[in-house]
Amino acid sequence: MKDLLKVSGLQLGYGRAAVVKGIDLTVPEGSVVCLIGANGAGKTTTMRGLSGLLKTTAGSIHFDGVDITNAPAHRIARLGIRQVPEGRQVFAEMSIEENLRLGGLQAPGPEEFRNRREKVLARFPRLQERLAQQAGLLSGGEQQMLALGRALMGAPQLLLLDEPSMGLAPLFVEEIFRIVTDLKREGVTILLVEQNAQAALEIADYAYVLEGGRITMQGPGAEIAENPQVIAAYLGGH
Ligand code: ATP
C-alpha cells in the first residue's frame, strides 16, 4: 500500500514556542492511523500543520507524492485533504444546507455536487430532516455530524479528524466510531486524533503516541493498546 501522507522532521510552533519538535509519520492509503497523547502534547497543532492552517518551521509534508509543505490551505483542500477541526466549528449562524454547500464549493460541477450532497444526507438522516435549521441550534453530536458531512462534501482522499468524539453523549460517540469504520471500509484514508484512546486504538491500523511534541511510541493499533505504558497513561490503567 502506498503512503498517502508522509511527514518528515515536521516542526511547528506559535511564535518562538516550539510545540511539535520534529515528527515523522506516514499514513498508508486506505488505513486509519491514530495519534494519541495527553492534553497539550501537540496533536491539534499537528493537524493544523497538515491542513495548512499553520506554517511549518522545519521538515516536509508530502501528500500522494506531492510536496505540500507550507502550501496554502485551499490548495491542500483541493488536493483532497479535509479536516474536521477540534470543537467542530460549524458556521453557527448559517443553516445546515449552507454549511454543507460551503464544504462542496470545490466540487468539479453541479452534478458531482448533487451526488455528494445526496450521499452525505443518506449517511446523516438527522441532517436531512433539519436542512433549513440554523447550525448553532443543533446538539453537540449533531454539530459533529454536520462537521463530518461538511468535510465529506469535499470527497476527501484523506480525512483529518481532530477529537471527533469530544464532549459527546455515549450514543453519539458510538455513532462517530461506526461512521469512521464505514468510511474506512469505503476507502477513505483517515488520520484520527482522539482522547478516547481505547476506542481509537480498536479501529486504528497503526498508532503514534505524541508526548511533548515528540513521537515516543508507535506500532499497530492492537499492539499499542496492549503496551503497559500506554495502558497506564492513556487507557485508565486497566
Ligand atoms: P488538546 O487535547 O488539549 O487539544 P493537543 O495535544 O491537541 O491537546 P495542542 O492544542 O496542539 O495540543 O497544543 C500544544 C501546545 O501548544 C500547548 O502547550 C498549547 O498551549 C500551545 N498552543 C496551542 N495553540 C496555541 C496558540 N494559538 N498560540 C500559542 N500557543 C498555542
Side-chain angles (χ1 to χ4, degrees):
M1 200 70 77
K2 74 170 169 183
D3 291 332
L4 191 58
L5 183 76
K6 191 162 178 48
V7 171
S8 306
L10 182 66
Q11 292 183 26
L12 299 158
Y14 302 95
R16 285 198 191 150
V19 172
V20 173
K21 301 167 183 168
I23 61 170
D24 297 335
L25 62 89
T26 53
V27 183
E29 189 167 42
S31 66
V32 174
V33 171
C34 126
L35 194 55
I36 60 174
N39 284 344
K43 305 180 299 296
T44 295
T45 302
T46 301
M47 293 298 227
R48 290 170 53 80
L50 297 178
S51 56
L53 295 176
L54 191 63
K55 294 290 171 228
T56 64
T57 48
S60 67
I61 307 169
H62 285 79
F63 175 64
D64 208 6
V66 178
D67 188 347
I68 58 162
T69 318
N70 289 333
H74 65 87
R75 177 159 170 257
I76 293 175
R78 187 166 297 130
L79 285 170
I81 300 181
R82 286 296 167 114
Q83 183 179 18
V84 179
E86 185 175 20
R88 318 182 252 283
Q89 298 180 26
V90 297
F91 299 103
E93 307 289 317
M94 294 186 187
S95 69
I96 292 176
E97 180 83 80
E98 287 164 332
N99 271 273
L100 292 177
R101 195 179 308 141
L102 286 174
L105 278 183
Q106 293 177 335
E111 195 176 332
E112 173 64 15
F113 176 87
R114 276 195 299 275
N115 288 340
R116 291 182 189 178
R117 182 178 173 282
E118 245 170 60
K119 268 170 70 180
V120 166
L121 294 179
R123 194 188 297 278
F124 301 109
R126 277 164 183 277
L127 299 183
Q128 167 93 63
E129 289 158 19
R130 297 170 170 76
L131 276 173
Q133 192 173 314
Q134 211 177 317
L137 299 177
L138 297 173
S139 73
E142 289 164 346
Q143 288 190 22
Q144 188 65 62
M145 301 297 167
L146 178 56
L148 255 166
R150 183 179 59 185
L152 293 175
M153 285 298 292
Q157 269 179 282
L158 174 65
L159 197 53
L160 305 175
L161 296 179
D162 194 352
E163 308 266 9
S165 78
M166 189 170 59
L168 301 188
L171 267 182
F172 273 116
V173 174
E174 252 175 57
E175 174 85 357
I176 290 287
F177 279 99
R178 190 184 58 70
I179 291 166
V180 173
T181 309
D182 285 350
L183 290 170
K184 181 192 171 185
R185 203 175 299 128
E186 293 164 30
V188 182
T189 309
I190 296 167
L191 180 60
L192 172 66
V193 161
E194 258 297 336
Q195 291 278 334
N196 191 341
Q198 180 90 54
L201 290 173
E202 270 171 33
I203 59 169
D205 297 294
Y206 201 82
Y208 293 89
V209 179
L210 192 62
E211 286 174 329
R214 293 195 169 85
I215 288 173
T216 53
M217 232 180 287
Q218 59 179 289
E223 235 170 67
I224 293 292
E226 282 173 11
N227 181 295
Q229 281 165 276
V230 172
I231 292 171
Y234 305 109
L235 301 176
H238 301 303

